Amino acid sequence: MGSGYVRIIGKWQQPWKIKNSTPSSFPSVHQLRNIRNSEISRPINLPSSHSLSSSSSRSSKIGFLGWYLGMLETSPLITKSVTSSLIFAAADLTSQKIMLPPSGSFDPIRTLRMTGYGLFILGPSQHLWFNFVAKVLPKRDVITTLKKIIMGQAIFGPCINSVFFSVNAALQGESGDEIVARLKRDLLPTQLNGLLYWPICDFVTFRFVPVHLQVHFFSLFCC
């Protein structure tokens, strides 16, 4: 190409046809100084201490709830068992405080028995029972809920009450004959009296509570 042309981005053009590449819309030095001064003088709104504390407390609550729900998914048996033991321990301490005579004292052994019962017996058995019922009867309509209630009153209730009376009596030093006599004396009246209370609790639990939270509601009803 001749010397009268120059190459601009792959094309040859004459020098006098090349437009000025500097945009005319660029701000001047005076305008840039004004923009900088306005940015410096603009007030910075910092959050108040109240908003910081409320947001931190809200995040901590959400964090604990998220952690607990995550534990229910990853380790459901252990989480429900520990929760059941804590509920039973709190319920026994509250019961002793209410029923304790003025000259009496707390019975830590009794609280320990209730805590162990919730941890090793009631929590695991509830976890297995509610999962089994949800697998056999997965629906949550009224008819299915009534079937679940009947199963609970006919199967789970007598079994768990028998275990409770037997374990509690054995830990108090009763013999085998005494435990059998206690079961004959207390099991049937307990079941009959429970018919006025447990079907309502079971209906609420089976009808409205998710399966992974049913152990918590049942443990609260037990207390």
Side-chain angles (χ1 to χ4, degrees), residues 174-207:
E174 296 186 7
S175 63
D177 294 336
E178 291 174 331
I179 294 175
V180 172
R182 178 186 289 270
L183 291 175
K184 292 180 179 180
R185 183 185 70 244
D186 296 337
L187 182 59
L188 183 58
T190 301
Q191 290 297 124
L192 295 177
N193 293 331
L195 293 176
L196 302 175
Y197 174 75
W198 284 113
I200 300 175
C201 302
D202 288 343
F203 183 85
V204 174
T205 301
F206 287 123
R207 186 79 166 86

Side-chain angles (χ1 to χ4, degrees), residues 26 58 66 79 99 122 136-137 143 169 203-204:
F26 279 1
R58 192 185 312 114
T79 304
M99 304 299 295
L122 186 63
V136 174
L137 299 172
I143 300 300
F203 183 85
V204 174

